[in-house]
Amino acid sequence: LQSLKISPPPKRLECLDVSDNRLDSLPGCLWPSGRASLLRLHAGGNEIRRLPADIWRCAKLQSLRLERNRIAELPAAPAEAANGLTELLELCLDSNQLTRLPAALFHLTPALVELNLANNQLVELPKLPLRNSGNRLQVLTASFNQLSDADVSFLAENFGSSLRTLLLAFNRLTEISDETMLQFCELRELNISGNQLKTLPSTLSRLERLVTIRAHSNCLQQLPDLSDSPRMRTLDVGCNSTLSGSVRNLMESRLSFLDLSCNQQMGMSMQDLA
């Protein structure tokens, strides 16, 4: 489909899936009549470049999937839609051409649980201070962008008590402080591979729910002591050519999967692996 017209305009439409077509815009009939009832709008895999500002009027929308399009920016919310998408749980925008996000994005989506921003050109996340601590964001996928250390600090301060999965691979991270990492108290999975990190926070072992750490393809020189990590099962630190030191303490941990491949400076012996 290259275009879609719905006549007469739907009044009770709750779910619309137009994924994997050739649409360059969303049907205009959705906004005046469908905004009160639409719960799920899936339009991934099209050729959409712009979204109408009226999309912020869909107050009951719970799932909005717009991955694999050509969207360069999101529209600002009109004044009469200042409350935004108050029931939105899932927002998927990966594989677009986004260079920035609305400053009030997290204010406009207060119930958001899962956000996918991977494979864009974002240099920063919107950092407008949040008004309360009732944030629900649990899964953030923002790999393959150009995010910095400041974005990790913002996430820790505003979503540290809710995030369970944090995927920030292949960005521009250089350092994550011990204090920042300790704020992610609910974290289960962390992927910070493909950055420019020289060290990992020593407080990783104090995150009681952390199961998976992926930090391959960085500039790591040493690993912190992770032997006391209560639930960690997967550690991937392969392709860190400057990584050195002993792995004996890792052998004493609860790990089920350990990747140390392509680390030529690691001093390993059969005794370490025993």
Side-chain angles (χ1 to χ4, degrees):
L1 292 174
Q2 293 181 316
S3 63
L4 178 63
K5 295 182 180 180
I6 305 176
S7 182
K11 295 182 179 180
R12 298 182 180 179
L13 186 66
E14 293 187 351
C15 179
L16 177 63
D17 191 335
V18 291
S19 303
D20 297 302
N21 281 287
R22 298 180 61 186
L23 299 176
D24 60 8
S25 62
L26 293 172
C29 63
L30 294 176
W31 320 123
S33 59
R35 63 176 181 262
S37 60
L38 199 61
L39 301 179
R40 294 184 295 277
L41 175 57
H42 295 179
N46 282 283
E47 299 176 4
I48 299 169
R49 295 179 182 272
R50 294 183 179 180
L51 299 175
D54 284 342
I55 199 169
W56 297 110
R57 301 177 191 270
C58 297
K60 292 187 177 181
L61 199 62
Q62 297 177 5
S63 176
L64 178 58
R65 298 188 62 93
L66 296 164
E67 70 275 12
R68 295 180 291 114
N69 278 285
R70 301 180 182 180
I71 302 168
E73 64 178 346
L74 300 182
E80 60 271 25
N83 291 331
L85 305 178
T86 55
E87 297 187 23
L88 190 68
L89 302 175
E90 177 191 29
L91 177 57
C92 190
L93 293 165
D94 72 277
S95 305
N96 277 282
Q97 300 171 13
L98 292 168
T99 58
R100 62 179 180 177
L101 297 168
L105 176 65
F106 293 118
H107 291 266
L108 294 167
T109 56
L112 198 61
V113 172
E114 183 170 354
L115 175 61
N116 191 336
L117 300 169
N119 292 294
N120 279 285
Q121 302 167 32
L122 297 170
V123 297
E124 64 176 351
L125 296 174
K127 297 184 178 65
L128 190 65
L130 301 182
R131 291 185 289 266
N132 58 67
S133 58
N135 305 308
R136 303 178 184 178
L137 189 64
Q138 295 183 13
V139 180
L140 174 62
T141 304
S143 300
F144 295 96
N145 281 285
Q146 301 175 42
L147 303 180
S148 69
D149 302 344
D151 295 295
V152 182
S153 298
F154 169 79
L155 292 171
E157 292 171 5
N158 292 277
F159 302 104
S161 61
S162 63
L163 273 171
R164 298 184 179 186
T165 300
L166 181 57
L167 309 181
L168 295 172
F170 295 93
N171 277 281
R172 294 185 175 180
L173 309 184
T174 61
E175 182 179 9
I176 303 174
S177 71
D178 292 346
E179 294 77 13
T180 294
M181 185 53 63
L182 200 56
Q183 291 178 273
F184 292 107
C185 56
E186 293 293 326
L187 203 60
R188 273 75 163 170
E189 179 180 1
L190 174 66
N191 191 339
I192 46 177
S193 300
N195 282 285
Q196 301 165 33
L197 297 167
K198 294 183 179 180
T199 60
L200 295 179
S202 63
T203 48
L204 281 169
S205 62
R206 295 170 60 183
L207 300 181
E208 296 182 354
R209 293 173 173 79
L210 188 60
V211 175
T212 299
I213 301 173
R214 300 190 186 278
H216 68 77
S217 306
N218 274 284
C219 306
L220 298 180
Q221 298 175 353
Q222 287 186 326
L223 294 178
D225 186 355
L226 299 171
S227 59
D228 292 332
S229 183
R231 296 190 182 182
M232 190 173 64
R233 297 294 182 269
T234 298
L235 177 63
D236 178 1
V237 289
C239 298
N240 283 280
S241 60
T242 57
L243 186 62
S244 61
S246 173
V247 297
R248 179 166 295 183
N249 68 326
L250 295 176
M251 297 301 106
E252 299 171 356
S253 68
R254 297 174 175 83
L255 284 175
S256 299
F257 177 88
L258 174 61
D259 188 342
L260 295 169
S261 59
C262 301
N263 293 328
Q264 293 89 347
Q265 296 189 36
M266 286 292 292
M268 287 184 285
S269 66
M270 293 304 297
Q271 289 181 334
D272 291 331
L273 299 176

